[in-house]
Amino acid sequence: MSPVFPTVREVLDLVPVRNGAPRLVAGTAGLDRSVRWVHIAEVPDIATLLGGGELVLTTGIGLPGDDAGLREFIGALADVGVSGLVVELGRRYVSGVPRVMAAAAERRGLPLIELRRGTPFVRITEAVHALIVDAQLTELRATEEIHQRFTELSVEGAEPAEVLRQAAELAGCPMVLENLSRQVLAYDPAGENAELLLDGWERHSRQIRPPGRTAYDPDSGWLVTTVGARGQDWGRLLLRWPATESTPPTRLTILIERAASTLALGRLIRRDAEGLERQIHRTLLTALIDHTRPVDEVALRAKALGVVLDRRHLVGVVVRHRADEPAGDAGIPDDEPAPARRGGRRDTDAEGPEAGPARLRDLAEAVSQAVRDAKLTALTSPLDDQAVGALLALPDPAAEEKALSAFAAALRRVRLDAAPAPAAPAAPAARPARPLDAPDRPAGRTVASASARPVDAPPRAAIVVAAGSGVGSLREARRSLIEARQVAEAARRDPRDLPCYRLPHVGLAGLLHLLRDEPRLQTFVERELGPLLAYDAQHPREQLLGTLRAYLEQGRNKSAGAAAAHLSRPAFYERLARIGRILDADLDSVDRCLSLHVALLALDAVRTP
């Protein structure tokens, strides 16, 4: 995108200027300066009336006659920031401008142009001002298109990748969306090499520190704005504008801010194509989690649906697939052939844009059916694109474990019934498609069985059932639901196949992993390790983070840490001292090292997809 104002070079190409036979005498380096306006002057102290960015036209009849006066005149113009000086020959200067004027202009980098033929200055001012007005109209139209485009994207609830694609198309520049830990969430290279754009991104991003929420960093050549809504920032949006060019035009600032607003709004919008009753279930569960409705109103509307939540023991349950990919039937082992996944039922797992939503609807239906089969009362609804939540309402706290076991067992039966019937093998080497825990498996497990799996047993169930801590009032239900969602997220990578995961099953590493998208955890990592990460980004050969990791993983044993880091003890001790200075931390303090170790584990969780 070109700047709004034309440059001196572009002005020299205009027909009225060319008619004057222009010749550049000095200041070649300033030809790319922007021309904000054209001003005609015949007095030596004109600089006091200018504001910068003007192209000054003169015949020279009022200029000083001595060398010192000419130098002072050129210096005053350069100090005020004019774009250039155009002198028409013939009235004051016949063969050319004085050498002292040219020398002074060259020293200050001020373009000095001679017009060797008489030219009406009004023609030049009209042409330049028309160019400026046209550029401003173009800028206005571009800004209007930006607002229209992003309004449409906001209404449609476009995905981040689509928002960045259209933003990069409008800007003609690469764009990157990152979280608070400098991990790339989405990007569009705008036709450039994506690998080069993202190579060493975290280290590069940490060196981009513009002031304010939206600002340009000329050292790195990135225009940056913060992304967030409702006072909670969760990322940054960056647009690359080469530092070799001028400051990004205003429309790019408008574009990146509108794109950031669209991304923030899209994160808040949740769409669903369920029936009215299911929509109400979702509205009520969302209201409990997000505090968007009074608890009494939620209880009243739930009671109208036949779900009594008052004076009940409430347990949040979340069911989700272990893998985010829409391909692969959640009730069939992932290593089954593709045809076996689709036989006998609608092809919800076929590749395509509808595969993910269809899989989520199937899971939501299975959860609702399992609640009914287990004779339980609950609100059930998808919570996001991957998980389905349920708030079980139990009459007695003592029935919690029994109810969860009954629900998990019913869910397995429902999903088993929904899976395709076993198909006869096409050849001796072919294996029939069998659902998870099918009766013909020699070691089919039930919800009450957690014994070791035989060699030929199926792989882990493709879904995870997780439950939060039971609570005694609806005001505490949010805590149980959030806990269940966090446990389900962490349990995705658990090697065990438990009927129902609870918080005690999740260790510290799992807890940090499930919180990896939490801005507060990312802020904690930046607060604890940010200076060290920034130092490593500037000194890639040292990588002091690895030294700190070796020291902490060896229980603060410096000799063992040096051996683990493959360093001599003096070198290892010197590095530890440097780390202490960078972090302003006492590495002999147990509490300080504990905090740093947790931050390291959190950093690993953030960096792990």
Side-chain angles (χ1 to χ4, degrees), residues 285 288 307 309 314-317 377-380 389-393 474 477 481:
L285 277 181
L288 289 174
V307 181
L309 301 177
L314 306 174
V315 183
V317 177
T377 301
L379 290 175
T380 64
L391 182 63
L392 302 183
L474 188 57
L481 286 166

Side-chain angles (χ1 to χ4, degrees), residues 437-518:
D437 298 330
D440 57 330
R441 300 273 188 182
R445 70 166 56 190
T446 65
V447 70
S449 173
S451 58
R453 184 185 293 116
V455 175
D456 61 342
R460 293 180 304 165
I463 62 169
V464 171
V465 179
S469 302
V471 296
S473 71
L474 188 57
R475 298 186 184 278
E476 300 176 281
R478 177 179 184 271
R479 173 169 57 85
S480 183
L481 286 166
I482 291 178
E483 181 182 307
R485 182 156 62 180
Q486 293 173 340
V487 172
E489 176 68 19
R492 294 169 57 196
R493 291 164 180 80
D494 194 294
R496 296 167 296 179
D497 189 12
L498 302 181
C500 183
Y501 287 86
R502 307 298 295 270
L503 190 57
H505 299 135
V506 181
L508 176 60
L511 177 64
L512 294 174
H513 176 81
L514 61 90
L515 294 174
R516 68 190 185 280
D517 293 327
E518 171 60 45

Side-chain angles (χ1 to χ4, degrees), residues 1 135-150 170 251-252 254-255:
M1 286 186 175
Q136 290 175 332
L137 286 176
T138 301
E139 184 85 354
L140 183 60
R141 294 190 190 99
T143 301
E144 183 179 356
E145 182 182 359
I146 288 170
H147 285 294
Q148 181 177 356
R149 185 82 64 92
F150 286 108
L170 288 171
R251 63 175 171 273
L252 283 189
I254 295 174
L255 182 146

Side-chain angles (χ1 to χ4, degrees), residues 135-219:
Q136 290 175 332
L137 286 176
T138 301
E139 184 85 354
L140 183 60
R141 294 190 190 99
T143 301
E144 183 179 356
E145 182 182 359
I146 288 170
H147 285 294
Q148 181 177 356
R149 185 82 64 92
F150 286 108
T151 297
E152 293 173 356
L153 291 173
S154 299
V155 172
E156 295 170 0
E159 295 294 326
E162 177 63 16
V163 174
L164 260 68
R165 185 190 70 78
Q166 297 208 32
E169 178 183 318
L170 288 171
C173 305
M175 299 192 70
V176 176
L177 174 65
E178 64 177 17
N179 62 15
L180 296 180
S181 292
R182 309 301 196 268
Q183 304 297 306
V184 177
L185 303 177
Y187 68 93
D188 191 292
E192 298 187 14
N193 188 305
E195 293 182 358
L196 293 178
L197 176 68
L198 302 179
D199 184 38
W201 176 259
E202 181 180 348
R203 176 175 59 84
H204 177 62
S205 175
R206 292 184 183 279
Q207 299 175 9
I208 305 173
R209 298 178 177 179
R213 289 186 66 84
T214 302
Y216 177 64
D217 182 7
D219 295 333

Side-chain angles (χ1 to χ4, degrees), residues 536-547:
D536 281 355
Q538 296 175 356
H539 305 82
R541 294 186 177 182
E542 296 188 36
Q543 295 302 306
L544 295 180
L545 188 70
T547 303

